[in-house]
Amino acid sequence: MEKKTLGFAMCGSFCTFKKAIETARSLAGEFELVPIMSEISAGTDTRFGRAADFRAQLEEICSREVISTIAQAEPIGPKKLLDALLILPCTGNTLAKLANGVADSSVTLAAKAHLRNERPVVLAVSTNDGLGANAASIGKLLARKHVFFVPFRQDDACGKPCSLVADFSLAGEAVRSALGGVQLQPVLA
């Protein structure tokens, strides 16, 4: 059986990058991975690590170069390069852009280009404003055809009551479910 091609896109929730890399590693055996990083995540060093190191790890796992520009992401739609696209982590900024049709980064353009083929986009949220400013975006995307979520929860209900994070360990199951046109349940863990 031929492996499905999965776009693995990372946005700038830098505190989750180590888990994101682990998730990519766990998915590499099942899917042919196409690595995508937002311009910010591909080029910003933070206290959580160097951008070049994360990029190199992702390229090693996927055995191909990271897509990190709008020009590189544009062919995803016309050439139908992906069976599914997983955005992990998906920041509040990216959620808002996707909910409102903004395609101004490599990741948001990859999603727009991929959705035009009516194929699944799976979002693994990681935002401090999920139950605040980003709640409307999540609501809009939950109702959108071909958009699915990795189940998510509050990660620190007392210390950060608006913060949401996906359960990255469910990413593969969420993608498989989305490929069948079904949202993995429960969405809110």
Side-chain angles (χ1 to χ4, degrees), residues 3 34 41 51 55 103 105 112 117 133 148 164-165 178:
K3 286 183 179 181
V34 175
S41 64
R55 185 179 180 127
S105 75
K112 175 189 175 251
N117 297 320
F148 302 87
L164 294 175
V165 67

Side-chain angles (χ1 to χ4, degrees), residues 11 36 38-39 70 73 85 87 93-95 97-98 102-114:
C11 296
I36 305 165
S38 69
E39 292 83 340
I70 287 176
L85 173 63
I87 303 176
N93 186 48
T94 298
L95 287 168
K97 289 177 180 186
L98 294 173
V102 177
D104 65 350
S105 75
S106 54
V107 172
T108 55
L109 185 64
K112 175 189 175 251
H114 180 69

Side-chain angles (χ1 to χ4, degrees), residues 143-175:
R144 186 156 177 203
K145 193 172 183 182
H146 308 296
V147 175
F148 302 87
F149 284 81
V150 175
F152 56 87
R153 62 175 171 72
Q154 287 179 281
D155 60 320
D156 183 358
C158 294
K160 301 187 296 180
C162 292
S163 184
L164 294 175
V165 67
D167 181 346
F168 289 5
S169 72
L170 296 175
E173 190 176 351
V175 169

Side-chain angles (χ1 to χ4, degrees), residues 5-148:
T5 302
L6 176 63
F8 187 91
M10 293 175 61
C11 296
S13 178
F14 302 104
C15 63
T16 64
F17 275 19
K18 286 183 181 175
K19 285 185 181 178
I21 294 295
E22 291 170 14
T23 302
R25 193 169 277 114
S26 74
L27 296 172
E30 180 177 356
F31 298 99
E32 185 71 31
L33 295 181
V34 175
I36 305 165
M37 294 179 83
S38 69
E39 292 83 340
I40 298 299
S41 64
T44 305
D45 295 336
T46 71
R47 65 186 171 104
F48 300 104
R50 291 178 357 110
D53 294 339
F54 288 120
R55 185 179 180 127
Q57 289 175 59
L58 194 57
E59 288 178 340
E60 181 267 322
I61 291 164
C62 301
S63 299
R64 62 178 80 199
E65 287 187 27
V66 165
I67 293 170
S68 62
T69 68
I70 287 176
Q72 292 170 327
E74 188 276 331
I76 287 172
K79 292 185 178 182
K80 298 184 178 178
L81 298 178
L82 309 174
D83 293 302
L85 173 63
L86 171 64
I87 303 176
L88 181 153
C90 183
T91 62
N93 186 48
T94 298
L95 287 168
K97 289 177 180 186
L98 294 173
N100 292 291
V102 177
D104 65 350
S105 75
S106 54
V107 172
T108 55
L109 185 64
K112 175 189 175 251
H114 180 69
L115 282 169
R116 81 181 221 170
N117 297 320
E118 298 186 337
R119 293 180 178 178
V121 171
V122 182
L123 308 176
V125 300
S126 181
T127 174
N128 287 326
D129 295 318
L131 295 176
N134 293 130
S137 296
I138 290 171
K140 284 173 87 170
L141 291 166
L142 281 167
R144 186 156 177 203
K145 193 172 183 182
H146 308 296
V147 175
F148 302 87

